[in-house]
């Protein structure tokens, strides 16, 4: 086992539970302290986890902490990341990297100046599901990839989330909330996107909180809630992407890749370990594929554990700030294309992250 990265968590809302559940399985990460604007909530979580509760400023300044895990709402991502970097900490955050590329640029620049790492969710792409699908493509199992189709739809997060208003503010919506899972996977499969076109819209349907103490509260909608895009990758693959908070039910396949010799049904990229399937030109029946790559039994936090190991060994980490920045650029460009009705050329590019060998453990590989 390698060395351990001491982690402080800022923001202990719903998503933090999934990280806390996984820390015991990631021995190169050590949870040191938690912070939240709600000090009572931070204290309760700290007691559950057996760590210290601090104010946000105190956690960021704490010399015991090597990395800040930023689980705040999207509007706070840049502020927390810059403060942590200025304090000499590595930063790993939930998606999106920032509300806009203009906000994300100083984060990457500050990290480069200080020799620190920036990582970002989603790290689901490092699990066996997406990595096995990538291995099928890299091994030529469906010939040369030609296109991919994504469809993620739901009626809206207000039906289940107790405080969903931020999903309908900048940094939210189906594109910024769910899009990163699919777009990060597409870039992992095919490399960077060079051009996008699309259409965006929203209905006049009223949104109200359905559960919890805020039930019945009306939610203002300040984002597009139905988005369809065409992505042109540098390698020639064309991807179509639809994400929506406007669909009550759908039978459209979630994620498929089409090649000259077959099709891959890609597992849900919002999960780590679902099974890929393949149908080929010489056998047009669907067959499940045994796991062939990826961190086994992975969960949220594996991207941070991969970053910790990369810091130790000097290699690039996979769930990188540069990858998240390119995905943010794609999303921003889709919105711009949808409103301008023009094709938008991306300003950023990125290298495909290294694949994850089957059975790899981030603390040891």
């Amino acid at each position: 086992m390698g060395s351990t990265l001491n982690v402080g968590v800022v923001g202990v809302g719903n998503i933090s539970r999934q990280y806390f559940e996984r820390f015991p399985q990631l021995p190169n990460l050590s949870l040191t302290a938690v912070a939240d604007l709600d000090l009572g909530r931070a204290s309760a979580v700290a007691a559950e986890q057996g760590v210290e509760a601090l104010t946000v400023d105190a956690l960021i300044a704490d010399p015991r902490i090597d990395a800040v895990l930023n689980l705040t709402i999207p509007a706070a991502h840049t502020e927390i990341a810059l403060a942590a970097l200025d304090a000499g900490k590595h930063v790993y955050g939930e998606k999106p990297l920032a509300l806009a590329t203009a906000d994300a640029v100083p984060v990457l620049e500050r990290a480069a100046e200080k020799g620190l790492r920036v990582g970002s969710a989603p790290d689901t792409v490092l699990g066996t599901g997406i990595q096995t699908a990538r291995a099928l493509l890299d091994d030529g199992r469906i010939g040369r990839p030609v296109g991919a189709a994504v469809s993620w739809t739901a009626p809206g997060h207000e039906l289940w989330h107790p405080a969903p208003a931020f999903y309908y503010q900048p940094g939210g919506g189906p594109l910024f909330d769910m899009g990163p899972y699919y777009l990060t996977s597409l870039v992992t499969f095919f490399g960077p996107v060079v051009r996008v076109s699309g259409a965006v819209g929203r209905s006049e349907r009223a949104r109200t909180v359905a559960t919890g103490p805020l039930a019945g509260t009306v939610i203002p909608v300040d984002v597009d809630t139905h988005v369809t895009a065409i992505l042109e990758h540098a390698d020639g693959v064309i991807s179509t992407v639809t994400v929506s908070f406007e669909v009550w039910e759908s039978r459209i396949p979630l994620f498929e890749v089409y090649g000259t010799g077959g099709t891959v049904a890609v597992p849900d990229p919002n999960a780590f370990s679902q099974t890929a399937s393949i149908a080929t030109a010489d056998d047009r029946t669907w067959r499940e594929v045994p796991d062939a790559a990826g961190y086994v039994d992975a969960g949220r936090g594996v991207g941070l554990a991969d970053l910790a190991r990369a810091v130790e060994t000097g290699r690039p980490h996979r769930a990188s700030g540069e990858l998240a920045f390119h995905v943010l650029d794609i999303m921003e460009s889709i919105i711009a294309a949808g409103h301008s009705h023009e094709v938008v050329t991306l300003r950023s590019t990125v290298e495909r992250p290294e694949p994850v060998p089957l059975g790899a453990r981030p603390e040891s590989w």
Side-chain angles (χ1 to χ4, degrees):
M1 187 193 310
S3 61
T4 300
L5 202 69
N6 295 320
V7 179
V9 176
V10 177
V12 292
N14 276 7
I15 193 66
S16 68
R17 298 288 177 184
Q18 297 184 44
Y19 285 89
F20 294 138
E21 288 171 3
R22 281 291 168 167
F23 271 114
Q25 287 81 50
L26 299 169
N28 65 337
L29 301 179
S30 177
L31 181 61
T32 303
V34 300
D36 195 279
L37 291 178
D38 184 337
L39 298 179
R41 182 165 65 176
S43 296
V45 170
E48 291 173 2
Q49 299 301 320
V51 299
E52 190 174 355
L54 300 172
T55 66
V56 173
D57 290 344
L59 184 147
I60 288 172
D62 194 320
R64 297 172 298 170
I65 291 171
D66 304 310
V68 169
L69 175 56
N70 183 6
L71 304 182
T72 59
I73 63 173
H77 285 183
T78 297
E79 178 185 357
I80 297 298
L82 288 173
L85 292 167
D86 284 339
K89 323 293 189 191
H90 305 291
V91 177
Y92 185 93
E94 259 301 320
K95 42 76 183 167
L97 182 62
L99 291 182
T101 54
D103 299 322
V105 167
V107 173
L108 297 184
E109 290 179 344
R110 194 77 51 86
E113 290 169 6
K114 293 181 172 292
L116 296 166
R117 304 282 186 124
V118 173
S120 177
D123 53 4
T124 47
V125 297
L126 305 181
T128 51
I130 296 300
Q131 289 292 317
T132 293
R134 172 177 174 166
L136 292 172
L137 302 175
D138 289 351
D139 292 345
R141 294 282 298 277
I142 61 166
R144 183 180 66 80
V146 175
V150 163
S151 177
W152 182 90
T153 60
H157 289 350
E158 69 274 13
L159 298 183
W160 60 269
H161 197 287
F166 72 94
Y167 287 115
Y168 293 93
Q169 300 302 309
L175 183 60
F176 276 68
D177 178 51
M178 296 304 298
Y181 296 110
Y182 297 90
L183 298 173
T184 304
S185 299
L186 289 169
V187 175
T188 296
F189 291 160
F190 310 125
V193 171
V194 293
R195 282 177 297 277
V196 305
S197 55
V200 299
R202 67 189 76 171
S203 72
E204 296 179 356
R205 175 159 61 96
R207 307 278 178 168
T208 56
V209 181
T211 62
L214 299 177
T217 303
V218 176
I219 304 170
V221 177
D222 295 324
V223 293
D224 296 305
T225 53
H226 189 87
V227 178
T228 297
I230 299 174
L231 316 181
E232 301 175 50
H233 294 265
D235 67 354
V237 173
I238 298 171
S239 300
T240 59
V241 176
T242 294
V243 288
S244 181
F245 283 170
E246 299 289 356
V247 178
W248 291 99
E249 296 292 343
S250 175
R251 294 182 176 179
I252 297 175
L254 195 67
F255 196 168
E256 293 180 336
V257 176
Y258 312 114
T260 55
T263 300
V264 172
V266 180
D268 183 355
N270 192 18
F272 287 87
S273 305
Q274 293 185 359
T275 303
S277 298
I278 189 171
T280 56
D282 56 358
D283 183 357
R284 294 166 65 182
T285 57
W286 287 108
R287 306 178 304 282
E288 291 191 346
V289 179
D291 292 341
Y295 289 128
V296 174
D297 297 326
R300 294 190 194 277
V302 70
L304 178 55
D306 182 87
L307 181 151
R309 182 59 174 160
V311 168
E312 183 181 4
T313 61
R315 65 166 172 82
H317 56 290
R318 294 177 175 87
S320 69
E322 290 75 16
L323 176 58
F325 183 88
H326 185 63
V327 169
L328 181 59
D329 191 13
I330 295 170
M331 295 190 295
E332 200 170 69
S333 299
I334 289 170
I335 297 298
H339 286 285
S340 68
H341 307 291
E342 296 178 353
V343 175
V344 174
T345 299
L346 269 75
R347 296 162 293 173
S348 67
T349 190
V350 71
E351 297 292 328
R352 292 174 75 203
E354 287 295 314
V356 180
L358 180 63
R361 298 282 176 181
E363 70 272 12
S364 61
W365 189 78

